[in-house]
Amino acid sequence: MLFLQNKKFSFSILFLLLLLTFQPLSSSQQLKKNVEFNTSKKDHSQKQISSSLLFDITLHGFLLWASMGFLMPVGILVIRMSNREQCGRRLKFYFYIHTILQILSVLLVTAGAVMSIKKFNNAFNNNHQRIGIGLYGMVWLQALIGIVRPKRGSRTRSLWFFIHWMFGTAVSLLGVFNVYSGLFAYHEKTSRRIRIWTIVFTVEISLISFFYLFQDKLVYIQKQGVILGNELVTPTDQGLSPNDKQKELPTDPC
């Protein structure tokens, strides 16, 4: 009888221990389920926010690519091409094209800046936003420098040209870099692939850079062709009459 009582007492203690053991475990499991539910609910809410802002993010990226990633570098390339022109009408044509492209670039940058201020949460906790806010100011400063352009032949013309060239190059390089950082920020925000867009933009910038650097060599190549042709087919100056020399003077194609 005593053995049975002791056995019942042992089973009671074992039952209490099991009960105390599984009760906290079930409570922790329930707490874990609640945390997972709240986390999944929060992630679903964030996905809904990302999808609602997807159009604004895409439009912002397109505006900044069109301005700093395309129009501004092409405008610099156009004015670079004017360095080898002697015709006044062609120089004016290149200048007007450069001016139109830069004005469009400034307008698109302004539209992208207004959109980023109104639509996005600008915490300035990443390089894309920090560089972007600096670029907005630099673009408008460069536009102001272009407006106050002094006349040719004035004493301040050389200083103005250096400042305009320096700011233009800096804005263009920073703009290209910020397009890349914007692509990575887009990937982090939306989890969408950006590989194809990165490749396309890299090819575009590479082609523009190639034609920009090719301008100096193009003049040199053309001069080499003219010198070689004169050496082969042009007689010496001693064998030419004054009338022949007058005929061989280059004519202005303008």
Side-chain angles (χ1 to χ4, degrees):
M1 194 70 182
L2 181 61
F3 174 75
L4 291 176
Q5 289 179 356
N6 291 333
K7 191 174 183 181
K8 289 181 180 179
F9 180 74
S10 299
F11 277 118
S12 299
I13 294 175
L14 181 62
F15 177 75
L16 289 174
L17 290 175
L18 291 174
L19 183 62
L20 292 174
T21 302
F22 283 104
Q23 185 174 1
L25 181 62
S26 61
S27 299
S28 63
Q29 290 178 349
Q30 184 67 28
L31 179 62
K32 184 178 180 180
K33 288 181 180 179
N34 292 333
V35 171
E36 291 178 352
F37 175 76
N38 293 330
T39 303
S40 62
K41 186 176 180 181
K42 183 178 180 180
D43 293 339
H44 179 72
S45 177
Q46 289 179 350
K47 289 181 179 178
Q48 291 293 330
I49 293 175
S50 298
S51 62
S52 64
L53 291 176
L54 182 61
F55 175 78
D56 293 332
I57 294 174
T58 305
L59 181 59
H60 171 78
F62 175 79
L63 290 174
L64 272 297
W65 163 79
S67 59
M68 294 188 177
F70 182 73
L71 292 177
M72 191 172 294
V74 171
I76 295 175
L77 178 62
V78 168
I79 203 65
R80 177 80 167 184
M81 294 171 61
S82 67
N83 292 336
R84 58 189 180 89
E85 290 292 338
Q86 300 296 329
C87 176
R89 285 180 296 179
R90 290 182 181 178
L91 285 173
K92 288 182 180 181
F93 173 77
Y94 283 123
F95 172 76
Y96 289 140
I97 293 297
H98 170 78
T99 304
I100 291 172
L101 291 176
Q102 300 307 82
I103 290 175
L104 290 176
S105 177
V106 172
L107 293 177
L108 291 181
V109 166
T110 304
V114 172
M115 174 174 287
S116 64
I117 293 173
K118 293 181 64 176
K119 299 287 185 178
F120 306 141
N121 182 18
N122 296 297
F124 301 105
N125 55 358
N126 57 64
N127 292 329
H128 179 69
Q129 292 181 348
R130 294 167 185 167
I131 296 175
I133 193 67
L135 275 173
Y136 296 151
M138 291 179 67
V139 166
W140 275 102
L141 180 59
Q142 173 71 350
L144 181 62
I145 293 173
I147 292 174
V148 297
R149 178 174 60 100
K151 296 181 179 181
R152 290 182 178 272
S154 61
R155 295 180 179 179
T156 58
R157 177 77 179 193
S158 298
L159 178 61
W160 170 88
F161 180 82
F162 174 76
I163 295 175
H164 187 64
W165 169 80
M166 182 182 65
F167 263 88
T169 303
V171 170
S172 183
L173 292 177
L174 285 175
V176 170
F177 174 79
N178 218 34
V179 171
Y180 280 111
S181 65
L183 287 172
F184 287 110
Y186 174 82
H187 172 70
E188 292 180 358
K189 186 73 174 179
T190 63
S191 298
R192 298 199 171 193
R193 295 180 179 179
I194 59 171
R195 183 177 181 182
I196 182 65
W197 299 113
T198 304
I199 293 175
V200 171
F201 183 63
T202 302
V203 172
E204 175 211 328
I205 294 300
S206 300
L207 290 175
I208 293 175
S209 300
F210 172 77
F211 284 111
Y212 179 85
L213 297 174
F214 187 69
Q215 296 301 315
D216 290 337
K217 297 301 180 183
L218 181 60
V219 176
Y220 178 78
I221 292 171
Q222 291 176 345
K223 288 181 179 180
Q224 291 299 309
V226 171
I227 294 172
L228 180 61
N230 288 338
E231 289 178 352
L232 291 178
V233 301
T234 304
T236 59
D237 293 340
Q238 287 81 2
L240 291 177
S241 64
N243 292 332
D244 293 333
K245 289 183 179 180
Q246 186 176 4
K247 290 179 180 178
E248 288 200 356
L249 290 175
T251 58
D252 189 2
C254 302

